[in-house]
Amino acid sequence: MSHTAHIPSHRKPRQRASKSALRAGVAGGVLSTIAVAGAAGPAQAEPVTQTIEMPTITTGLSTAVAASAQATQQVALDLETRAYEDAAAESAAKKAKKAQAEAVRKAEAKKKAEAKAKAEAAERAERASRTAERTTLSAPAASSSGNSSSASAPSSSSSTATGSAAAIVAFAKAQVGDAYVSGGTGPNAWDCSGLVQAAYRTVGVDLPRVSQSQSTVGTPVSLDNLQPGDILYWGGAGSAYHVAIYVGGGEFVGAQNSSTGTVQRSLDYDRPTGAVRVL
């Protein structure tokens, strides 16, 4: 493009003279009309004594305030409702936990009661079985004992252990409270022959392991002539099903059964069939 080319101007074009004249005429006419009207009016105008009060726009503000108050009240109500619900839930949870604990306690108590009843029933059954077997075998045992002891009057049994017998008695008594386990040989669980064997081992006497063999070792003695340390047996000599140690004072120590464990009892608790003396 040539530097001499016409560049259009961005300034607004001047208004035409006719439009200016028209505007001037209109303005003059309006001013003239106002002047005439003023001249035609009264010479003195009365002062304005009435004040026009503009209306106050308060409707929208009142509505907003009312809405805000209602919203605040609703929030407070919601919070209170939630607090009640949370408190109710917490109370229900505590009650459920307490009920569960009570149910567990009752179940444990019932279980213990059933176990105790079962143990007592087992002990009664075992005692009944021993009594029946003793009744069956007592006649041969009595005749054998009668041949060896003649018709002399029974002497009272000694209740004081001495020497090796005292050591055997002390060992047996020290095991009272231990558990009964079939085949147990100590140190905290025994069966009947395992306890007798261990007691005699403390004084250097090695007994057979089972009750049948232990009931035939040593010398048969009358139940009316027992001494501490004697071996008591239930059943027949050579076929005994239970053994224990006489500890004096009309009592014995034995590993009875799984429900009672190792106990010290009177001979009247479970009268033995016979006895043998090893020492």
Side-chain angles (χ1 to χ4, degrees), residues 25-144:
V26 171
V30 170
L31 292 176
S32 300
T33 303
I34 292 172
V36 172
Q44 295 182 350
E46 295 181 358
V48 178
T49 59
Q50 183 179 3
T51 302
I52 300 175
E53 184 177 351
M54 298 297 292
T56 303
I57 303 174
T58 59
T59 303
L61 180 60
S62 300
T63 302
V65 171
S68 177
Q70 185 176 4
T72 301
Q73 185 178 6
Q74 183 63 41
V75 169
L77 181 61
D78 292 343
L79 291 175
E80 185 178 2
T81 302
R82 183 176 298 177
Y84 281 133
E85 291 176 352
D86 292 343
E90 183 178 0
S91 177
K94 288 182 178 179
K95 289 181 180 179
K97 186 176 181 180
K98 183 177 180 181
Q100 184 178 7
E102 182 67 14
V104 171
R105 186 190 66 78
K106 289 183 178 179
E108 290 179 351
K110 182 179 179 181
K111 186 177 180 181
K112 288 181 180 179
E114 290 176 351
K116 183 178 180 181
K118 185 177 180 181
E120 291 176 351
E123 184 177 359
R124 287 194 298 269
E126 185 173 354
R127 290 180 63 182
S129 175
R130 288 182 183 179
T131 301
E133 188 168 351
R134 183 171 62 248
T135 300
T136 303
L137 298 174
S138 60
S143 62
S144 173

Side-chain angles (χ1 to χ4, degrees), residues 139-151:
S143 62
S144 173
S145 175
N147 293 333
S148 61
S149 61
S150 71

